[in-house]
Amino acid sequence: MVLSLTAGTCYAGRMKDRHDVSEAQQLDPASRRLLERVEIEGIELVRFLYVDHGGVVRGKAAARGRLAERLGTGIGHTVAMMAMNMLDRLPAVPGMGPVGEVRLVPDPATFVPLPYAPGAAAMLADLRDLDGSPWAACPRSFLRDAVAALDAEGYALLVAFEPEFTLGRRLPGDPLDRLAPVDDSACYAATGFDTAHDYAMRLLRALESQGLRVEHYHPELGHGQQELSIRPAAPLRAADNHVLYRETVRGVALRMAMWASLAPKPVAGQPGNGAHLHLSLWDAEGGRNLLAGGDGELSDLGRHFVGGLIAHLPALVALTCGTVNSFRRLSPRSWSSAYACYGPDNREAAVRICSPLSPGSVNLELKPSDSSANPYLSLGAVIHAGLDGLRRRLDPGEPVDVDPDDLSETARARLGVHRLPATLDEALDALESDEFLMEALGPLRRTAYLAVKRSEAAAFAAQDEAFELFHHFRVF
Ligand code: GLU
Ligand code: MG
């Protein structure tokens, strides 16, 4: 078997002659530097990570002695894993049965030693066919293609996830564990800084050491709830960063005998954990923010981009809020949004137009977004939706400057403001009827995504709330 990947990323295709030249000598300079780092830093295992359709971060690790070869060939993986749901159950998906193999091929540019797992490092991996081409269900390739479409039309996007999570301890329960928050501090309260201080410092250092630049940190509204945000980056980097962030939040907690969960609603009766998506649209050179009109208003392009988001929002939430548990969070008066509308600094609107910190710096905040989503699929779909708005010059309607839940039904109907889907099944129905997004996903990915998510909806519908909370804080 011979792999031939794109030039510059690997040496595969020359595996036949590896008897006379070592793998390391055949690698590109970036990969050779990576191998040197592995030696110098005493790394023994390198995790090749990807995110599946259930939103779960999974992977396989290469031992140091095999790394040079694995950088090129990747590690073999069954196609069936992209049909696995978050409960580790496998719905039937044509093309993802027990027969068939893909390769987890790591992106050397994402290599990071893991500060919470001494001796281990990680890379984000693509899923490739055996001939080296991107597999039709590879999530990173989906996002990469969306970015290429944006680029082809002369646009660039800057993205930041703004994740919240619950810090606590896992209490053995009968029959299921509970997540007990680490404190009961009030929102933004200084007490919360102290109760979570040791964890927050370790988390901050662990993130910074992986190249994630921390922007802000504060104790949030919920018991044990924390928010720590990362500086914006180009889309693929931002999604990779979000995967590393999720891993780090949990890894650091585990090393301190705690349990951290980014699940949308891991504790009954407590506020949810969002991962609001901040977006700004730029010209290709990155010199001009295209969302900014005069006086902090949206430009025409900005209105069209928002128009695309609003038009596709019912379907988008099936990808940005990807779990059954996500829909407990999307309720009125929780600043997570429950209606498809937009407004300047409106924390109850699905799209908040953030007031500029400096002239010309307008950015959008998509609130129906959480960390149980596959960030590559959610961000890729958001880009496609925005692009559709730009191409078709979609009009987002009037901005909403009140809590949409305070408006009468009639007033909402007049403004064209609709409730977001209230369940995962409703969101999946909307996705299935959104021809544009279904086309963007492509046949294999959309079939698998819908099957995985429908199977989760059915599995949790047959169980109670405690089961749902347990499995979501266990996995996310
Ligand atoms: N926790 C809220 C959510 O679920 C967000 C609160 C905030 O605006 O920071 O989205
Ligand atoms: Mg927050």
Side-chain angles (χ1 to χ4, degrees), residues 162-164 187-188 218-221 225-228 272-274 276 335 347 365 367:
E162 184 195 296
E164 298 165 329
C187 188
Y188 296 102
H218 64 264
E220 258 280 359
L221 175 60
Q225 196 177 30
Q226 318 289 319
E227 177 178 318
L228 190 144
N273 292 317
H276 303 173
W335 296 357
R347 284 181 166 71
E365 177 182 23
K367 287 181 168 281

Side-chain angles (χ1 to χ4, degrees), residues 309-387:
L309 296 182
I310 299 287
H312 292 287
L313 208 48
L316 272 182
V317 295
L319 295 152
T320 58
C321 299
T323 56
V324 167
N325 191 240
S326 296
F327 293 83
R328 281 190 199 276
R329 171 183 159 254
L330 296 181
S331 54
R333 297 176 212 288
S334 49
W335 296 357
S336 59
S337 82
Y339 294 92
C341 61
Y342 77 104
D345 280 333
N346 188 341
R347 284 181 166 71
E348 286 293 336
V351 180
R352 169 186 165 219
I353 316 300
C354 302
S355 52
L357 290 172
S358 56
S361 77
V362 171
N363 77 284
L364 308 175
E365 177 182 23
L366 182 74
K367 287 181 168 281
S369 163
D370 69 55
S371 294
S372 67
N374 178 319
Y376 304 102
L377 299 186
S378 73
L379 186 50
V382 162
I383 291 173
H384 280 296
L387 253 182

Side-chain angles (χ1 to χ4, degrees), residues 37 111-116 199-217 228-231 237 241 244-245 248-249 252:
R37 252 186 103 182
F111 176 85
V112 278
L114 299 176
Y116 54 88
Y199 173 83
M201 292 308 295
R202 284 213 211 178
L203 177 62
L204 180 135
R205 290 182 194 129
L207 291 168
E208 293 273 354
S209 84
Q210 293 169 80
L212 278 72
R213 288 153 60 217
V214 174
E215 173 123 324
H216 298 128
Y217 162 65
L228 190 144
S229 50
I230 302 296
R231 296 280 302 148
R237 177 69 196 263
N241 279 350
L244 295 174
Y245 182 101
T248 308
V249 159
V252 171

